[in-house]
Amino acid sequence: MKRRTTTRRSSLLVALVATGSLVLSACGGGGDGGSTDGEGGTAAAGGGDASEVQVMTWWAQGSEKAGLEALVEVFNEQHPDTEFVNAALAGGAGSQAKQKLQADLQAGNPPDSFQAHAGAELQDYIDAGQIEDVSALYDEFGLTDVFPDTLMERLTNDGKIYSIPSNIHRSNVVWVNPAVLEEVGIDPSTPPADLDAWMADMQKVADAGKTPVSLGMDWTQTQLLENVLLAELGAEGYNGLWNGDTDWAGGEVNSALTKFGKIVEWSNEDRDGLDWEPALQKVMAGDAAYNVMGDWAVAAYDAQEMTAPDDYAYWPVPGTDGVFNFLADSFTMPVGAAHPGGTKAWLDTISSAEGQLAFNKVKGSIPARTDIEASEFPAYQQSAMEDFSSDTIVSSLAHGAAAPVAVLTAVNQAVVKFSQGASDVDTLQSELVSATEPLAG
Amino acid sequence: MSTKLKSWGPGLLLISPSLVLMAVFVYGFIGISFQQSMTDSHTAGQATGRAPVSFVGLANYWALLQTPAFQHSLRNLLVFTVVFLLGTLVIGFCWAWVMDRPIRGEGIFRSVYLFPMAVSFVASGVVWKWLLNANQGESASGLNRLFQMLGLDFLQNSWWADATWGILAIALPAIWQLSGYVMALFLAGFRGIPEELREAARVDGATEMQLYRHVIFPQLSPVALSALVIIGHMSLKSFDLIMSIANQSSYSTKVPAIDMYNYATVYDYANSAAVGIILLVLVALAVVPYLWYDARTRKEGR
């Protein structure tokens, strides 16, 4: 009798344990990443194991994968003794890859190099002491002179540089289906003068029963928002959003958000379930007229053998002409990487003229180096290279150049809440104000 | 003393490895999570120990419970759990009731109904994501397209993207997946009632209705209770199904488990742990009374 009760009680314990384990599997081991702090400091000096290099990217499919393959080809030529290990994880803009990376970094088990957007996105890794200062490699590879000053400025954090860019992308580009526009009587070759003119065109498309704008999941909506803000506030006002000079709670932001809301209303309803490529596909297939996407879209068109100006047209988001909304993919040297020699070899290739030429030709981006002939590239990249050298450069929010990840995540959530109809313009604005509060501190 | 040791010593030795593992990896980590949830560790630097972390007591819990966003998650969780529970219990019971009578090809039906459970939540989520496409009208696909083809256009809706009731769209695949399991539970319950009892009731002049009301249903209540607890705690922990249909930013389908994941991804470990502990408490609230009830009835029954 007595024994019975004890077993009952312990079975209660067992059941409790089983239910509690879900919580633990995600919570446990949070605070132990600090052990990686002191070690691995020699990596930046360049010695170490170069037998292989494990590189984590989110270039796992389509055009992005093709770009990575072109890069690896150059790498194998330049560093035949180092084996390239591909650790790519699918998911647009790194939405999935970043979670896995964070877990690996916290566990003290970093890849030899990982892809990150240059700029504010690196802040968390720097604060956490998870990536090395690679300034010394800039001198060693002779990069200081070949990267433009505007870029160097955005890479430098407290006098140190923590990553080396492989390419530069532009986020404020509209991809247009000319056939859809001609059908409703709009000339696709001349872009609208400003945001209002563009929205008038959208209205025409909507009246004809077509979808004016195709949108995808959270970050693509944020990318549209940042470009609407850029169009409404101008480059200076937009930059002010990140350094505190422009008031997020102000009237100009409010009117931009109202216009953003109108554009979202015109977009496809299944947006939250789509990554950027399926969203762009709607424009390619003629189901929608416009898509705002970074210039990696070029590679998606190339992959389907569509060419401008017959199959598609592109222009800067109306109202942002003369502004280059910048983001850059860059590679890091994690603290405590297993093969620091391999990391160095990889950073050498991605920053070399050959590597940047091969990679950017395929990926639709432009090289970060200024010493590569524009004539080597297809038409889109030639125009982008010209713009990059003459335009005002601003940093993209959706791609981690303008604000740290925590701010971006909060903005994404506020934007999706709005686009799903759970908040109005004023609520969205107040949520953006609180989302961007950490920027002031 | 030595005889006592002889009687329970070997048994204790046998289970001691699992006891130690459990003490460390379950209760130890619950403790660490709880401790973490009472700190102000909200940034990357603090997560890796490069910035100071201080004790803030239950402040994170109060702050969380006061934010409309987290209240929305809790409300979603409640709606989801209620619908998921009712759906699986009602459908599972009906199927079991039908199969209780001898019917042709029972084995086939049983496997057909049970089969969805063999599919993982992630795999079914990917398919249901396509079925639950939000587009309507000309660009509709999935279920909305099916409704159009059947002339039931008024049934089209935006499914999981609907800000208020989107979470119900997630309950659909969940019910689809687990109704068969509940059916199996109830069927076992039906089969566990000896034929003699039914015969006896019929001999006493009970109608079919009375037979169910007074003889069969009372015997099924333990089964219903375990189904309730099993489905209930699964519902509270739902994460994979939601993530594979929607994504972590989707407001309409946000539940506390998603919040916990989101906080963890931005190095906000204190809030993440706090949400985890809240979930643990919710699950415990569902499970502990059942275990207590179960233990008590057994004790009384002896």
Side-chain angles (χ1 to χ4, degrees), chain A residues 13 17 20 24 26-27 34 99 102 106 127-128 130 218 269-270 272-273 409 413 420 422, chain B residues 26-27 29-30 33 48 50 129 133 135 247 249-252 260-262 264-265 267 269 280:
Chain A
L13 277 179
V17 162
L24 287 159
C27 272
Q99 331 284 4
Q102 198 202 1
Q106 284 293 82
D127 287 347
Q130 288 167 333
D218 50 6
E269 285 178 79
D270 61 345
D272 290 315
T409 306
Q413 285 177 9
Q420 289 187 333
Chain B
V26 179
Y27 296 100
F29 284 166
I30 289 182
S33 299
T48 48
R50 290 162 65 93
K129 176 182 186 155
N133 187 296
N135 278 334
N247 58 58
S249 299
S250 171
Y251 179 77
S252 56
M260 177 176 159
Y261 178 81
N262 283 341
T265 55
Y267 293 93
Y269 287 1
L280 178 71

mmCIF file of all heavy atoms in Angstrom, chain A residues 13 17 20 24 26-27 34 99 102 106 127-128 130 218 269-270 272-273 409 413 420 422, chain B residues 26-27 29-30 33 48 50 129 133 135 247 249-252 260-262 264-265 267 269 280:
data_model
loop_
_atom_site.group_PDB
_atom_site.id
_atom_site.type_symbol
_atom_site.label_atom_id
_atom_site.label_comp_id
_atom_site.label_asym_id
_atom_site.label_seq_id
_atom_site.Cartn_x
_atom_site.Cartn_y
_atom_site.Cartn_z
ATOM 1 N N LEU A 13 6.082 12.972 -11.081
ATOM 2 C CA LEU A 13 7.324 13.680 -11.377
ATOM 3 C C LEU A 13 7.738 13.460 -12.824
ATOM 4 O O LEU A 13 8.091 14.391 -13.541
ATOM 5 C CB LEU A 13 8.431 13.180 -10.451
ATOM 6 C CG LEU A 13 8.470 13.825 -9.066
ATOM 7 C CD1 LEU A 13 9.593 13.221 -8.257
ATOM 8 C CD2 LEU A 13 8.675 15.318 -9.201
ATOM 9 N N VAL A 17 8.345 16.179 -15.790
ATOM 10 C CA VAL A 17 9.618 16.279 -16.478
ATOM 11 C C VAL A 17 9.409 16.309 -17.977
ATOM 12 O O VAL A 17 9.966 17.122 -18.705
ATOM 13 C CB VAL A 17 10.472 15.057 -16.087
ATOM 14 C CG1 VAL A 17 11.587 14.876 -17.078
ATOM 15 C CG2 VAL A 17 11.008 15.235 -14.695
ATOM 16 N N GLY A 20 8.105 19.593 -19.162
ATOM 17 C CA GLY A 20 9.018 20.709 -19.000
ATOM 18 C C GLY A 20 10.142 20.727 -20.008
ATOM 19 O O GLY A 20 10.740 21.767 -20.271
ATOM 20 N N LEU A 24 12.988 23.661 -21.879
ATOM 21 C CA LEU A 24 14.420 23.607 -21.643
ATOM 22 C C LEU A 24 15.236 23.529 -22.902
ATOM 23 O O LEU A 24 16.276 24.137 -23.040
ATOM 24 C CB LEU A 24 14.711 22.366 -20.827
ATOM 25 C CG LEU A 24 14.230 22.652 -19.437
ATOM 26 C CD1 LEU A 24 14.001 21.396 -18.697
ATOM 27 C CD2 LEU A 24 15.260 23.512 -18.762
ATOM 28 N N ALA A 26 14.997 24.791 -25.550
ATOM 29 C CA ALA A 26 15.287 26.075 -26.193
ATOM 30 C C ALA A 26 16.015 27.050 -25.277
ATOM 31 O O ALA A 26 16.754 27.901 -25.728
ATOM 32 C CB ALA A 26 13.990 26.699 -26.687
ATOM 33 N N CYS A 27 15.796 26.910 -23.980
ATOM 34 C CA CYS A 27 16.367 27.887 -23.048
ATOM 35 C C CYS A 27 17.780 27.564 -22.608
ATOM 36 O O CYS A 27 18.559 28.436 -22.316
ATOM 37 C CB CYS A 27 15.530 27.951 -21.782
ATOM 38 S SG CYS A 27 14.221 29.106 -21.888
ATOM 39 N N GLY A 34 30.272 32.700 -23.234
ATOM 40 C CA GLY A 34 31.376 33.559 -22.846
ATOM 41 C C GLY A 34 32.728 32.878 -22.877
ATOM 42 O O GLY A 34 33.756 33.532 -22.931
ATOM 43 N N GLN A 99 19.313 32.023 -37.470
ATOM 44 C CA GLN A 99 18.970 31.301 -36.235
ATOM 45 C C GLN A 99 19.997 30.212 -35.963
ATOM 46 O O GLN A 99 20.477 30.045 -34.850
ATOM 47 C CB GLN A 99 17.590 30.639 -36.332
ATOM 48 C CG GLN A 99 16.598 31.317 -37.232
ATOM 49 C CD GLN A 99 16.008 32.549 -36.623
ATOM 50 O OE1 GLN A 99 16.407 32.937 -35.540
ATOM 51 N NE2 GLN A 99 15.095 33.195 -37.308
ATOM 52 N N GLN A 102 23.335 31.653 -34.930
ATOM 53 C CA GLN A 102 23.365 32.134 -33.558
ATOM 54 C C GLN A 102 23.565 30.983 -32.585
ATOM 55 O O GLN A 102 24.343 31.079 -31.641
ATOM 56 C CB GLN A 102 22.073 32.872 -33.240
ATOM 57 C CG GLN A 102 22.213 33.748 -32.021
ATOM 58 C CD GLN A 102 20.874 34.064 -31.382
ATOM 59 O OE1 GLN A 102 19.842 33.614 -31.836
ATOM 60 N NE2 GLN A 102 20.913 34.833 -30.335
ATOM 61 N N GLN A 106 26.796 30.641 -30.144
ATOM 62 C CA GLN A 106 26.610 30.565 -28.700
ATOM 63 C C GLN A 106 27.225 29.297 -28.131
ATOM 64 O O GLN A 106 27.697 29.266 -27.015
ATOM 65 C CB GLN A 106 25.122 30.618 -28.345
ATOM 66 C CG GLN A 106 24.523 32.003 -28.444
ATOM 67 C CD GLN A 106 25.080 32.945 -27.406
ATOM 68 O OE1 GLN A 106 26.161 33.497 -27.596
ATOM 69 N NE2 GLN A 106 24.370 33.131 -26.307
ATOM 70 N N ASP A 127 29.259 43.052 -30.225
ATOM 71 C CA ASP A 127 28.984 43.176 -28.787
ATOM 72 C C ASP A 127 29.200 41.853 -28.070
ATOM 73 O O ASP A 127 29.639 41.817 -26.929
ATOM 74 C CB ASP A 127 27.528 43.615 -28.564
ATOM 75 C CG ASP A 127 27.322 45.061 -28.928
ATOM 76 O OD1 ASP A 127 28.328 45.766 -29.110
ATOM 77 O OD2 ASP A 127 26.157 45.487 -29.047
ATOM 78 N N ALA A 128 28.841 40.782 -28.743
ATOM 79 C CA ALA A 128 28.962 39.470 -28.120
ATOM 80 C C ALA A 128 30.390 38.942 -28.191
ATOM 81 O O ALA A 128 30.672 37.868 -27.669
ATOM 82 C CB ALA A 128 28.005 38.490 -28.790
ATOM 83 N N GLN A 130 31.976 37.828 -30.825
ATOM 84 C CA GLN A 130 31.985 36.589 -31.579
ATOM 85 C C GLN A 130 32.738 36.684 -32.903
ATOM 86 O O GLN A 130 32.948 35.666 -33.556
ATOM 87 C CB GLN A 130 30.540 36.128 -31.823
ATOM 88 C CG GLN A 130 29.887 35.613 -30.554
ATOM 89 C CD GLN A 130 28.391 35.454 -30.678
ATOM 90 O OE1 GLN A 130 27.753 36.143 -31.466
ATOM 91 N NE2 GLN A 130 27.821 34.543 -29.908
ATOM 92 N N ASP A 218 7.579 39.083 -44.397
ATOM 93 C CA ASP A 218 7.966 40.216 -43.547
ATOM 94 C C ASP A 218 9.039 41.159 -44.100
ATOM 95 O O ASP A 218 8.793 42.344 -44.283
ATOM 96 C CB ASP A 218 8.365 39.719 -42.155
ATOM 97 C CG ASP A 218 9.381 38.569 -42.168
ATOM 98 O OD1 ASP A 218 9.867 38.226 -43.265
ATOM 99 O OD2 ASP A 218 9.685 38.035 -41.098
ATOM 100 N N GLU A 269 -2.784 39.062 -51.622
ATOM 101 C CA GLU A 269 -3.130 38.743 -50.237
ATOM 102 C C GLU A 269 -2.284 37.632 -49.635
ATOM 103 O O GLU A 269 -2.194 37.514 -48.417
ATOM 104 C CB GLU A 269 -4.602 38.351 -50.153
ATOM 105 C CG GLU A 269 -5.531 39.544 -50.256
ATOM 106 C CD GLU A 269 -6.970 39.111 -50.216
ATOM 107 O OE1 GLU A 269 -7.457 38.836 -49.122
ATOM 108 O OE2 GLU A 269 -7.596 39.030 -51.289
ATOM 109 N N ASP A 270 -1.686 36.807 -50.460
ATOM 110 C CA ASP A 270 -0.928 35.674 -49.901
ATOM 111 C C ASP A 270 0.516 36.063 -49.574
ATOM 112 O O ASP A 270 1.386 35.211 -49.464
ATOM 113 C CB ASP A 270 -0.959 34.474 -50.854
ATOM 114 C CG ASP A 270 -0.324 34.778 -52.197
ATOM 115 O OD1 ASP A 270 -0.116 35.964 -52.504
ATOM 116 O OD2 ASP A 270 -0.038 33.825 -52.953
ATOM 117 N N ASP A 272 2.231 36.959 -46.962
ATOM 118 C CA ASP A 272 2.991 36.472 -45.813
ATOM 119 C C ASP A 272 3.563 35.070 -46.017
ATOM 120 O O ASP A 272 4.459 34.656 -45.294
ATOM 121 C CB ASP A 272 2.120 36.484 -44.564
ATOM 122 C CG ASP A 272 1.846 37.905 -44.124
ATOM 123 O OD1 ASP A 272 2.797 38.694 -44.118
ATOM 124 O OD2 ASP A 272 0.687 38.233 -43.829
ATOM 125 N N GLY A 273 3.037 34.355 -46.994
ATOM 126 C CA GLY A 273 3.540 33.010 -47.211
ATOM 127 C C GLY A 273 4.622 32.924 -48.275
ATOM 128 O O GLY A 273 5.074 31.837 -48.604
ATOM 129 N N THR A 409 13.907 43.198 -36.339
ATOM 130 C CA THR A 409 12.898 42.196 -35.987
ATOM 131 C C THR A 409 11.634 42.873 -35.479
ATOM 132 O O THR A 409 10.518 42.509 -35.866
ATOM 133 C CB THR A 409 13.448 41.247 -34.910
ATOM 134 O OG1 THR A 409 14.673 40.699 -35.379
ATOM 135 C CG2 THR A 409 12.482 40.120 -34.629
ATOM 136 N N GLN A 413 7.878 42.864 -37.285
ATOM 137 C CA GLN A 413 6.648 42.433 -36.616
ATOM 138 C C GLN A 413 5.580 43.510 -36.672
ATOM 139 O O GLN A 413 4.408 43.206 -36.900
ATOM 140 C CB GLN A 413 6.953 42.044 -35.175
ATOM 141 C CG GLN A 413 7.650 40.689 -35.109
ATOM 142 C CD GLN A 413 8.050 40.288 -33.707
ATOM 143 O OE1 GLN A 413 7.659 40.937 -32.725
ATOM 144 N NE2 GLN A 413 8.826 39.227 -33.601
ATOM 145 N N GLN A 420 -1.462 42.761 -42.007
ATOM 146 C CA GLN A 420 -2.520 41.772 -41.768
ATOM 147 C C GLN A 420 -3.800 42.434 -41.257
ATOM 148 O O GLN A 420 -4.779 41.744 -40.970
ATOM 149 C CB GLN A 420 -2.044 40.717 -40.766
ATOM 150 C CG GLN A 420 -0.993 39.784 -41.366
ATOM 151 C CD GLN A 420 -0.638 38.629 -40.446
ATOM 152 O OE1 GLN A 420 -0.747 38.716 -39.235
ATOM 153 N NE2 GLN A 420 -0.208 37.536 -41.038
ATOM 154 N N ALA A 422 -4.203 44.292 -38.453
ATOM 155 C CA ALA A 422 -4.427 44.330 -37.009
ATOM 156 C C ALA A 422 -4.043 45.677 -36.391
ATOM 157 O O ALA A 422 -4.188 45.865 -35.194
ATOM 158 C CB ALA A 422 -3.658 43.210 -36.316
ATOM 159 N N VAL B 26 16.939 18.338 -16.638
ATOM 160 C CA VAL B 26 15.562 18.812 -16.636
ATOM 161 C C VAL B 26 15.376 19.853 -15.541
ATOM 162 O O VAL B 26 15.211 21.039 -15.813
ATOM 163 C CB VAL B 26 14.575 17.652 -16.470
ATOM 164 C CG1 VAL B 26 13.160 18.205 -16.444
ATOM 165 C CG2 VAL B 26 14.727 16.667 -17.624
ATOM 166 N N TYR B 27 15.496 19.415 -14.304
ATOM 167 C CA TYR B 27 15.210 20.355 -13.219
ATOM 168 C C TYR B 27 16.299 21.410 -13.083
ATOM 169 O O TYR B 27 16.019 22.567 -12.787
ATOM 170 C CB TYR B 27 14.966 19.583 -11.922
ATOM 171 C CG TYR B 27 13.740 18.732 -12.060
ATOM 172 C CD1 TYR B 27 13.836 17.377 -12.342
ATOM 173 C CD2 TYR B 27 12.485 19.320 -12.025
ATOM 174 C CE1 TYR B 27 12.701 16.622 -12.547
ATOM 175 C CE2 TYR B 27 11.349 18.570 -12.221
ATOM 176 C CZ TYR B 27 11.457 17.213 -12.484
ATOM 177 O OH TYR B 27 10.337 16.485 -12.705
ATOM 178 N N PHE B 29 18.021 22.684 -15.516
ATOM 179 C CA PHE B 29 17.831 23.680 -16.574
ATOM 180 C C PHE B 29 16.565 24.496 -16.376
ATOM 181 O O PHE B 29 16.507 25.663 -16.751
ATOM 182 C CB PHE B 29 17.839 23.002 -17.950
ATOM 183 C CG PHE B 29 19.225 22.627 -18.400
ATOM 184 C CD1 PHE B 29 19.429 21.771 -19.467
ATOM 185 C CD2 PHE B 29 20.338 23.125 -17.742
ATOM 186 C CE1 PHE B 29 20.715 21.433 -19.879
ATOM 187 C CE2 PHE B 29 21.614 22.795 -18.137
ATOM 188 C CZ PHE B 29 21.802 21.942 -19.213
ATOM 189 N N ILE B 30 15.547 23.866 -15.787
ATOM 190 C CA ILE B 30 14.361 24.670 -15.430
ATOM 191 C C ILE B 30 14.800 25.769 -14.476
ATOM 192 O O ILE B 30 14.433 26.940 -14.624
ATOM 193 C CB ILE B 30 13.256 23.802 -14.778
ATOM 194 C CG1 ILE B 30 12.616 22.898 -15.817
ATOM 195 C CG2 ILE B 30 12.189 24.703 -14.150
ATOM 196 C CD1 ILE B 30 11.482 22.048 -15.274
ATOM 197 N N SER B 33 16.716 28.418 -16.358
ATOM 198 C CA SER B 33 15.797 29.248 -17.147
ATOM 199 C C SER B 33 15.077 30.236 -16.242
ATOM 200 O O SER B 33 14.909 31.409 -16.586
ATOM 201 C CB SER B 33 14.754 28.376 -17.846
ATOM 202 O OG SER B 33 15.377 27.488 -18.719
ATOM 203 N N THR B 48 26.547 36.894 -23.801
ATOM 204 C CA THR B 48 27.826 36.204 -23.793
ATOM 205 C C THR B 48 28.696 36.622 -22.614
ATOM 206 O O THR B 48 29.877 36.310 -22.561
ATOM 207 C CB THR B 48 28.592 36.485 -25.093
ATOM 208 O OG1 THR B 48 28.569 37.884 -25.338
ATOM 209 C CG2 THR B 48 27.972 35.761 -26.251
ATOM 210 N N ARG B 50 29.710 39.602 -21.622
ATOM 211 C CA ARG B 50 30.642 40.720 -21.766
ATOM 212 C C ARG B 50 30.097 42.009 -21.167
ATOM 213 O O ARG B 50 30.818 42.978 -21.018
ATOM 214 C CB ARG B 50 30.967 40.942 -23.240
ATOM 215 C CG ARG B 50 31.823 39.820 -23.818
ATOM 216 C CD ARG B 50 31.765 39.836 -25.318
ATOM 217 N NE ARG B 50 32.356 41.038 -25.890
ATOM 218 C CZ ARG B 50 33.607 41.136 -26.283
ATOM 219 N NH1 ARG B 50 34.418 40.103 -26.155
ATOM 220 N NH2 ARG B 50 34.064 42.239 -26.804
ATOM 221 N N LYS B 129 0.061 24.890 -45.938
ATOM 222 C CA LYS B 129 0.399 26.265 -46.296
ATOM 223 C C LYS B 129 -0.086 26.565 -47.713
ATOM 224 O O LYS B 129 -0.595 27.641 -47.999
ATOM 225 C CB LYS B 129 1.914 26.439 -46.214
ATOM 226 C CG LYS B 129 2.383 27.810 -46.650
ATOM 227 C CD LYS B 129 3.891 27.907 -46.586
ATOM 228 C CE LYS B 129 4.335 29.313 -46.882
ATOM 229 N NZ LYS B 129 5.628 29.625 -46.306
ATOM 230 N N ASN B 133 -3.867 29.135 -48.976
ATOM 231 C CA ASN B 133 -3.419 30.351 -49.640
ATOM 232 C C ASN B 133 -4.477 31.444 -49.504
ATOM 233 O O ASN B 133 -5.667 31.198 -49.664
ATOM 234 C CB ASN B 133 -3.154 30.037 -51.118
ATOM 235 C CG ASN B 133 -2.520 31.185 -51.839
ATOM 236 O OD1 ASN B 133 -3.116 32.248 -51.977
ATOM 237 N ND2 ASN B 133 -1.307 31.001 -52.295
ATOM 238 N N ASN B 135 -4.997 34.185 -51.264
ATOM 239 C CA ASN B 135 -5.518 34.897 -52.434
ATOM 240 C C ASN B 135 -6.959 34.518 -52.731
ATOM 241 O O ASN B 135 -7.342 33.358 -52.611
ATOM 242 C CB ASN B 135 -4.663 34.586 -53.663
ATOM 243 C CG ASN B 135 -3.427 35.434 -53.699
ATOM 244 O OD1 ASN B 135 -3.407 36.528 -53.139
ATOM 245 N ND2 ASN B 135 -2.393 34.937 -54.336
ATOM 246 N N ASN B 247 5.028 32.318 -40.534
ATOM 247 C CA ASN B 247 6.430 32.508 -40.181
ATOM 248 C C ASN B 247 6.503 33.276 -38.872
ATOM 249 O O ASN B 247 5.489 33.649 -38.309
ATOM 250 C CB ASN B 247 7.194 33.222 -41.298
ATOM 251 C CG ASN B 247 6.592 34.566 -41.616
ATOM 252 O OD1 ASN B 247 6.487 35.421 -40.754
ATOM 253 N ND2 ASN B 247 6.153 34.749 -42.852
ATOM 254 N N SER B 249 7.176 36.186 -38.034
ATOM 255 C CA SER B 249 6.712 37.579 -37.929
ATOM 256 C C SER B 249 5.200 37.700 -38.015
ATOM 257 O O SER B 249 4.669 38.766 -37.782
ATOM 258 C CB SER B 249 7.313 38.427 -39.041
ATOM 259 O OG SER B 249 8.699 38.436 -38.954
ATOM 260 N N SER B 250 4.533 36.615 -38.394
ATOM 261 C CA SER B 250 3.096 36.710 -38.620
ATOM 262 C C SER B 250 2.354 37.033 -37.332
ATOM 263 O O SER B 250 2.418 36.284 -36.365
ATOM 264 C CB SER B 250 2.582 35.393 -39.209
ATOM 265 O OG SER B 250 1.182 35.415 -39.241
ATOM 266 N N TYR B 251 1.653 38.170 -37.346
ATOM 267 C CA TYR B 251 0.953 38.616 -36.142
ATOM 268 C C TYR B 251 -0.249 37.723 -35.859
ATOM 269 O O TYR B 251 -0.527 37.379 -34.720
ATOM 270 C CB TYR B 251 0.501 40.060 -36.333
ATOM 271 C CG TYR B 251 -0.259 40.633 -35.166
ATOM 272 C CD1 TYR B 251 0.413 41.044 -34.029
ATOM 273 C CD2 TYR B 251 -1.649 40.759 -35.203
ATOM 274 C CE1 TYR B 251 -0.271 41.573 -32.949
ATOM 275 C CE2 TYR B 251 -2.343 41.288 -34.134
ATOM 276 C CZ TYR B 251 -1.654 41.692 -33.006
ATOM 277 O OH TYR B 251 -2.337 42.203 -31.941
ATOM 278 N N SER B 252 -0.940 37.324 -36.934
ATOM 279 C CA SER B 252 -2.203 36.613 -36.761
ATOM 280 C C SER B 252 -2.028 35.251 -36.103
ATOM 281 O O SER B 252 -2.930 34.763 -35.460
ATOM 282 C CB SER B 252 -2.878 36.442 -38.124
ATOM 283 O OG SER B 252 -2.010 35.782 -39.006
ATOM 284 N N MET B 260 8.801 33.241 -27.736
ATOM 285 C CA MET B 260 10.008 32.766 -27.077
ATOM 286 C C MET B 260 11.147 32.631 -28.092
ATOM 287 O O MET B 260 12.271 33.075 -27.864
ATOM 288 C CB MET B 260 9.701 31.414 -26.434
ATOM 289 C CG MET B 260 10.886 30.781 -25.780
ATOM 290 S SD MET B 260 10.372 29.278 -24.961
ATOM 291 C CE MET B 260 11.961 28.479 -24.879
ATOM 292 N N TYR B 261 10.800 32.064 -29.251
ATOM 293 C CA TYR B 261 11.774 31.888 -30.327
ATOM 294 C C TYR B 261 12.267 33.250 -30.821
ATOM 295 O O TYR B 261 13.468 33.457 -31.004
ATOM 296 C CB TYR B 261 11.080 31.111 -31.436
ATOM 297 C CG TYR B 261 11.881 30.858 -32.683
ATOM 298 C CD1 TYR B 261 12.793 29.812 -32.739
ATOM 299 C CD2 TYR B 261 11.687 31.630 -33.826
ATOM 300 C CE1 TYR B 261 13.504 29.546 -33.889
ATOM 301 C CE2 TYR B 261 12.392 31.373 -34.981
ATOM 302 C CZ TYR B 261 13.298 30.336 -35.011
ATOM 303 O OH TYR B 261 13.992 30.080 -36.152
ATOM 304 N N ASN B 262 11.334 34.178 -31.010
ATOM 305 C CA ASN B 262 11.716 35.501 -31.503
ATOM 306 C C ASN B 262 12.649 36.221 -30.535
ATOM 307 O O ASN B 262 13.624 36.839 -30.954
ATOM 308 C CB ASN B 262 10.475 36.371 -31.746
ATOM 309 C CG ASN B 262 9.767 35.978 -33.026
ATOM 310 O OD1 ASN B 262 10.356 35.325 -33.889
ATOM 311 N ND2 ASN B 262 8.520 36.362 -33.153
ATOM 312 N N ALA B 264 14.626 34.820 -28.397
ATOM 313 C CA ALA B 264 15.927 34.145 -28.375
ATOM 314 C C ALA B 264 16.772 34.568 -29.573
ATOM 315 O O ALA B 264 17.992 34.677 -29.466
ATOM 316 C CB ALA B 264 15.741 32.643 -28.361
ATOM 317 N N THR B 265 16.129 34.823 -30.732
ATOM 318 C CA THR B 265 16.903 35.156 -31.916
ATOM 319 C C THR B 265 17.504 36.552 -31.857
ATOM 320 O O THR B 265 18.417 36.844 -32.607
ATOM 321 C CB THR B 265 16.057 35.067 -33.202
ATOM 322 O OG1 THR B 265 14.924 35.888 -33.025
ATOM 323 C CG2 THR B 265 15.638 33.657 -33.495
ATOM 324 N N TYR B 267 18.784 37.764 -29.026
ATOM 325 C CA TYR B 267 19.601 37.713 -27.808
ATOM 326 C C TYR B 267 18.869 38.247 -26.580
ATOM 327 O O TYR B 267 19.504 38.588 -25.596
ATOM 328 C CB TYR B 267 20.903 38.507 -27.989
ATOM 329 C CG TYR B 267 21.876 37.928 -28.986
ATOM 330 C CD1 TYR B 267 21.869 38.330 -30.308
ATOM 331 C CD2 TYR B 267 22.830 36.981 -28.578
ATOM 332 C CE1 TYR B 267 22.773 37.808 -31.223
ATOM 333 C CE2 TYR B 267 23.734 36.463 -29.488
ATOM 334 C CZ TYR B 267 23.703 36.884 -30.802
ATOM 335 O OH TYR B 267 24.598 36.368 -31.699
ATOM 336 N N TYR B 269 17.520 37.028 -23.977
ATOM 337 C CA TYR B 269 17.362 35.743 -23.295
ATOM 338 C C TYR B 269 16.473 35.842 -22.070
ATOM 339 O O TYR B 269 15.803 34.878 -21.713
ATOM 340 C CB TYR B 269 18.739 35.178 -22.914
ATOM 341 C CG TYR B 269 19.499 34.657 -24.102
ATOM 342 C CD1 TYR B 269 18.962 34.732 -25.384
ATOM 343 C CD2 TYR B 269 20.750 34.074 -23.965
ATOM 344 C CE1 TYR B 269 19.648 34.263 -26.484
ATOM 345 C CE2 TYR B 269 21.452 33.594 -25.065
ATOM 346 C CZ TYR B 269 20.893 33.700 -26.327
ATOM 347 O OH TYR B 269 21.579 33.230 -27.409
ATOM 348 N N LEU B 280 5.638 26.720 -19.381
ATOM 349 C CA LEU B 280 5.787 25.579 -18.489
ATOM 350 C C LEU B 280 4.681 25.569 -17.448
ATOM 351 O O LEU B 280 4.056 24.542 -17.178
ATOM 352 C CB LEU B 280 7.155 25.629 -17.806
ATOM 353 C CG LEU B 280 7.448 24.515 -16.798
ATOM 354 C CD1 LEU B 280 7.648 23.194 -17.513
ATOM 355 C CD2 LEU B 280 8.668 24.847 -15.962
#
